Amino acid sequence: MSLLKEKLAGKMPAQAEAIKGFTKEYGSKVVSEVTLQQVYGGMRGVKGLVCDTSEVPPDKGLIIRGYELGEIKDRLPEEIFWLLLTGDLPTETELENLQADLTARSEVPSYVWSVLDTMPEDSHPMAMFNTGILIMQRESVFARRYAEGMPKSEYWEATLEDSLNIIARIPAIAAYIYRKKFRDGKRVEGDVNLDWGANFAHMLGIEDSDGSFKKLMRLYMTLHSDHEGGNVSAFSARTINSALSDLYYSLSGGLNGLAGPLHGLANQECLKWVLETMDKFDGNPTKEQLEKYTWDTLNAGRVIPGYGHAVLRVTDPRFTAFHAFGAEHFPEDPVFKTVSDIFEVVPSVLKQIEKISNPWPNVDAASGSLLYHYGLKEFEYYTVLFSVSRALGIAAQAIMQRGYGLPITRPKSLPTHKLKEIVGAN
Ligand code: NMX
Ligand code: MLT
């Protein structure tokens, strides 16, 4: 038995019992009220979900199991996966055991390559990536064991098996999509001596003589891994998984949500907008030019990608971590400089628009400029990188939910005439 499974097996039954006892004793206590505005407003702020892997206080940003981002941003993504799941950082032995387990599971079934090869040439990389995951559903340990009559107490174990198989394989799938769509179409073999994030960087085949692209990929995979339970991708995946659709179905479904421009695709849109400004003003725009272009974009009815957030009310600490990487490694890079200038201009513009709740940058505002610096310029691909990382959090959340024995997700909806009755409107 792997050390991760052993550790979880020691915790999960007690956790499930504790949750049962907690809900039995306090089940009728009120946690949140729902206003009509929230019913029509994407349930913003309604406290209606449990997520123990991470939390996002609006005035602080991402906290994983009690650790603020600054404390763990330099940890390997596989260490973060362990942390998300167990609440502790792994020891050296535990980390090595997890890494060996992932390597042993990393061979991608050959039919995945064939399916990707038959997709239309203009397929979006996100459509290809999610297809790659979905097509492997036939491998699901959860689906097979469910059909065999697996008891409910073992759901988390089967979900862990699916999680590890998926996490082990998706870097190679994602890398192949990049090589196929934007490079020579040849797969770069994985290197078993590299950690998960560095091996992904290696398989992308980006020139990396000083190793700093590998460093960026590790950081990228760590920073995007989880953002509590209510973001579109995690929430969608949670809903699908709650029907006991296995992780292949639920992860690919959740990541289809990540492919939207108001969610993960904002990183593609953001770099596009940054380059548009540079194109329009023939190089690094002045702050005045940036301010005018920001207003022009807003007046054209478009959003400023990479800015704003449904929960955060401060600069996203993930943006700060990416920005610090650029400032350390290539402060004079023109695209990075434009991103820095935008950070100085955009919040003051957005603050002038009353309806905007948060004028500050989110995770997507800086990441593209860093990738661009290393020659990964095909911004259509950026959300795939986000997805590989987000798989860690979605998988960890699914394992916990099945471990807690949570039921199928099914909130109640009402037609407008009923809502009118409830609030006493005509
Ligand atoms: N540019 C222009 N308008 C904005 C922006 C922005 N960056 N942010 C919010 N607004 C608008 C928003 O469209 C809405 O307008 P309307 O009522 O006319 O529909 C109004 O301000 C109120 O929205 P908020 O309450 O501030 O934000 P909400 O919680 O509804 O949405 C986002 C959050 C993230 C969807 C929104 O801020 C946005 O569209 N940002 C740009 C896209 C982006 O960067 N998304 C990535 C989020 C992070 N991620 O990776 O998922
Ligand atoms: C995320 O990382 O999922 C985004 O910041 C969006 C969110 O939290 O709603």
Side-chain angles (χ1 to χ4, degrees):
M1 191 192 282
S2 73
L3 293 182
L4 179 58
K5 190 165 171 185
E6 202 176 290
K7 180 141 183 166
L8 286 174
K11 285 183 166 218
M12 210 56 103
Q15 276 177 354
E17 268 315 297
I19 297 288
K20 226 186 250 166
F22 178 45
T23 51
K24 194 167 172 210
E25 189 170 352
Y26 297 97
S28 60
K29 297 277 176 196
V30 176
V31 178
S32 201
E33 285 180 337
V34 185
T35 65
L36 188 72
Q37 177 59 43
Q38 289 170 312
V39 172
Y40 284 91
M43 296 191 279
R44 202 73 79 255
V46 176
K47 298 180 186 78
L49 301 167
V50 56
C51 176
D52 284 332
T53 54
S54 69
E55 58 179 314
V56 182
D59 61 341
K60 273 207 177 88
L62 180 60
I63 294 179
I64 297 184
R65 295 287 199 162
Y67 289 95
E68 290 192 16
L69 213 52
E71 301 173 86
I72 47 169
K73 71 177 172 48
D74 297 322
R75 294 285 184 159
L76 296 175
E78 53 271 46
E79 289 182 278
I80 299 297
F81 181 60
W82 185 290
L83 175 65
L84 287 165
L85 264 177
T86 67
D88 300 314
L89 283 161
T91 62
E92 215 171 294
T93 313
E94 287 170 338
L95 175 61
E96 281 170 12
N97 185 270
L98 174 60
Q99 290 176 322
D101 193 11
L102 290 174
T103 303
R105 296 167 186 264
S106 63
E107 192 171 332
V108 176
S110 60
Y111 61 80
V112 175
W113 311 131
S114 314
V115 169
L116 294 178
D117 286 343
T118 56
M119 289 185 75
E121 265 181 28
D122 60 354
S123 300
H124 192 279
M126 279 302 288
M128 298 176 77
F129 185 62
N130 293 340
T131 302
I133 295 171
L134 187 59
I135 202 72
M136 290 192 294
Q137 189 278 333
R138 60 190 288 285
E139 317 278 333
S140 172
V141 173
F142 185 97
R144 175 174 54 75
R145 293 200 52 209
Y146 187 83
E148 290 165 0
M150 160 175 64
K152 196 173 177 183
S153 59
E154 291 174 17
Y155 287 179
W156 73 266
E157 283 183 46
T159 306
L160 174 66
E161 283 299 312
D162 283 350
S163 299
L164 291 168
N165 287 334
I166 291 174
I167 291 166
R169 291 168 187 172
I170 52 176
I173 296 174
Y176 179 56
I177 291 167
Y178 182 69
R179 305 290 319 164
K180 182 175 165 54
K181 247 192 112 69
F182 305 113
R183 298 293 165 116
D184 60 7
K186 297 199 177 89
R187 284 202 306 277
V188 176
E189 278 309 308
D191 179 345
V192 293
N193 297 310
L194 292 173
D195 56 84
W196 186 78
N199 194 30
F200 182 23
H202 160 76
M203 289 187 286
L204 284 166
I206 303 288
E207 206 285 311
D208 188 25
S209 47
D210 67 356
S212 60
F213 181 67
K214 290 190 184 65
K215 208 170 159 191
L216 173 63
M217 269 305 109
R218 291 189 190 108
L219 180 69
Y220 198 104
M221 294 299 121
T222 289
L223 294 186
H224 289 88
S225 59
D226 204 39
H227 218 230
E228 66 176 39
N231 65 76
V232 166
S233 47
F235 184 54
S236 310
R238 162 196 294 258
T239 303
I240 299 169
N241 196 251
S242 79
L244 303 185
S245 296
D246 61 59
L247 195 68
Y248 293 86
Y249 284 125
S250 53
L251 176 63
S252 58
L255 295 180
N256 284 328
L258 197 72
L262 298 188
H263 193 19
L265 202 83
N267 59 10
Q268 154 179 336
E269 297 295 290
C270 188
L271 193 69
K272 197 164 134 205
W273 191 74
V274 172
L275 297 179
E276 250 171 53
T277 66
M278 295 182 73
D279 203 32
K280 186 169 165 66
F281 300 108
D282 226 5
N284 284 119
T286 63
K287 304 241 169 89
E288 291 68 33
Q289 287 170 330
L290 279 175
E291 184 172 339
K292 182 174 179 320
Y293 198 64
T294 304
W295 280 115
D296 288 349
T297 304
L298 292 167
N299 291 336
R302 292 165 63 193
V303 296
I304 307 297
Y307 283 78
H309 201 274
V311 173
L312 284 168
R313 296 296 173 259
V314 290
T315 294
D316 190 332
R318 300 171 297 175
F319 169 85
T320 308
F322 275 136
H323 194 265
F325 185 97
E328 182 191 339
H329 291 271
F330 36 81
E332 295 310 317
D333 178 286
V335 179
F336 177 70
K337 271 176 84 126
T338 302
V339 164
S340 300
D341 289 343
I342 288 172
F343 178 39
E344 285 183 35
V345 170
V346 166
S348 57
V349 173
L350 297 185
K351 274 183 200 167
Q352 297 173 50
I353 302 175
E354 211 184 328
K355 69 176 181 179
I356 296 182
S357 319
N358 176 41
W360 302 108
N362 60 57
V363 67
D364 295 323
S367 57
S369 67
L370 310 183
L371 300 167
Y372 199 83
H373 173 82
Y374 287 98
L376 209 165
K377 296 186 171 177
E378 303 84 359
F379 41 79
E380 237 198 334
Y381 184 73
Y382 292 174
T383 312
V384 175
L385 299 173
F386 194 152
S387 301
V388 175
S389 169
R390 184 49 58 93
L392 300 174
I394 287 179
Q397 291 193 22
I399 295 162
M400 303 284 293
Q401 284 150 24
R402 300 291 68 79
Y404 287 176
L406 301 188
I408 190 165
T409 303
R410 179 51 166 100
K412 179 84 183 93
S413 63
L414 291 170
T416 296
H417 71 88
K418 284 267 169 61
L419 290 164
K420 281 187 171 170
E421 260 172 53
I422 290 172
V423 302
N426 293 327

